[in-house]
Amino acid sequence: EAGVAQSPRYKIIEKRQSVAFWCNPISGHATLYWYQQILGQGPKLLIQFQNNGVVDDSQLPKDRFSAERLKGVDSTLKIQPAKLEDSAVYLCASSPPNREGAYEQYFGPGTRLTVT
Amino acid sequence: DAKTTQPTSMDCAEGRAANLPCNHSTISGNEYVYWYRQIHSQGPQYIIHGLKNNETNEMASLIITEDRKSSTLILPHATLRDTAVYYCIVRLRNRDDKIIFGKGTRLHILP
């Protein structure tokens, strides 16, 4: 089966500009996650969707970050305006329905954002 | 904060078994131990999970101590492609429980 797709793979912007990332989860996966991974650290959850509803966005900096998942499939994550500290890899993951209850997450390759 | 403690880095010779330890002394009775790994420039990859019994799959084995306060991930015959950061995670086995990643163990497989 196809994996989680993300685009673009790389993005360089200047501070105060806007940027958007796109994610297409594995077909049939109702749960979708966005993570931020700063260099040298583990990924940190930003937001979790179940279908097109938000389950957890407690760690999303809502003054500049927004995310949506229209129709419960693809998702976009936007940063407006970007700051230098937003330089990171943004990972999207999805999780299968409760067939066997493992709830493992499948990650995409990520988008590497550099803010200058 | 992550509920686990792992060594920062480890080396292992190619072809040998790689044993990665993890301490999770505050694990609760219904929390599982999950392992993921992240190869350079890729997203994390699920490896294995367990509750209290030892588990094995095509990628690795997971040994959990009887008191469940620590565990070991075993890669039986390490190859160069196993070079990665390995994350040990404790979480409930439900959709809404977060994966909280620590810094993991950077495993270097030496030729």
Side-chain angles (χ1 to χ4, degrees), chain A residues 9-10 31 33 35 37 40-45 48 50 55-56 58-59 91 95-96 98 100-110 112, chain B residues 1 32 34-38 40-49 85 87 91-104 106:
Chain A
R9 290 296 313 275
Y10 305 92
T31 311
Y33 314 79
Y35 288 83
Q37 185 171 25
Q41 299 181 17
K44 181 186 82 170
L45 179 69
Q48 176 183 343
Q50 178 66 20
V55 174
D56 184 349
S58 58
Q59 302 216 72
L91 294 159
S95 188
N98 183 17
E100 297 180 356
Y103 295 113
E104 68 269 25
Q105 295 180 18
Y106 296 85
F107 286 79
R112 181 176 297 277
Chain B
D1 290 346
Y32 286 70
Y34 282 73
W35 284 83
Y36 283 76
R37 75 178 181 183
Q38 188 171 22
H40 182 63
S41 295
Q42 298 183 21
Q45 175 191 23
Y46 165 80
I47 301 173
I48 198 168
H49 75 283
V85 177
Y87 297 100
R91 63 185 291 244
L92 299 172
R93 199 178 80 172
N94 66 55
R95 180 180 50 226
D96 296 335
D97 197 38
K98 295 178 189 177
I99 292 181
I100 299 176
F101 289 89
K103 293 190 176 182
R106 186 170 296 277

Side-chain angles (χ1 to χ4, degrees), chain B:
Chain B
D1 290 346
K3 299 179 183 180
T4 61
T5 304
Q6 299 177 252
T8 302
S9 65
M10 294 181 61
D11 292 339
C12 178
E14 188 178 18
R16 305 296 293 268
N19 297 281
L20 291 92
C22 179
N23 287 321
H24 31 80
S25 58
T26 61
I27 191 170
S28 63
N30 55 352
E31 287 181 315
Y32 286 70
V33 180
Y34 282 73
W35 284 83
Y36 283 76
R37 75 178 181 183
Q38 188 171 22
I39 295 170
H40 182 63
S41 295
Q42 298 183 21
Q45 175 191 23
Y46 165 80
I47 301 173
I48 198 168
H49 75 283
L51 181 63
K52 53 184 176 181
N53 297 321
N54 298 337
E55 302 287 345
T56 296
N57 63 20
E58 64 278 4
M59 290 183 69
S61 294
L62 174 60
I63 308 299
I64 302 174
T65 58
E66 192 168 344
D67 64 7
R68 303 211 320 125
K69 292 184 177 182
S70 65
S71 61
T72 301
L73 180 75
I74 301 171
L75 308 178
H77 304 287
T79 70
L80 296 178
R81 288 176 293 182
D82 293 321
T83 293
V85 177
Y86 287 76
Y87 297 100
C88 171
I89 294 150
V90 163
R91 63 185 291 244
L92 299 172
R93 199 178 80 172
N94 66 55
R95 180 180 50 226
D96 296 335
D97 197 38
K98 295 178 189 177
I99 292 181
I100 299 176
F101 289 89
K103 293 190 176 182
T105 295
R106 186 170 296 277
L107 177 65
H108 296 101
I109 306 300
L110 307 174

Side-chain angles (χ1 to χ4, degrees), chain A residues 6-11 21-22 88-91 109-113:
Chain A
Q6 291 188 248
S7 68
R9 290 296 313 275
Y10 305 92
K11 189 74 177 178
F21 313 125
W22 174 82
V89 175
Y90 291 85
L91 294 159
T111 297
R112 181 176 297 277
L113 174 68

Side-chain angles (χ1 to χ4, degrees), chain A residues 3-18:
Chain A
V4 175
Q6 291 188 248
S7 68
R9 290 296 313 275
Y10 305 92
K11 189 74 177 178
I12 302 174
I13 62 172
E14 295 181 352
K15 60 183 178 184
R16 293 187 287 273
Q17 286 187 324
S18 302

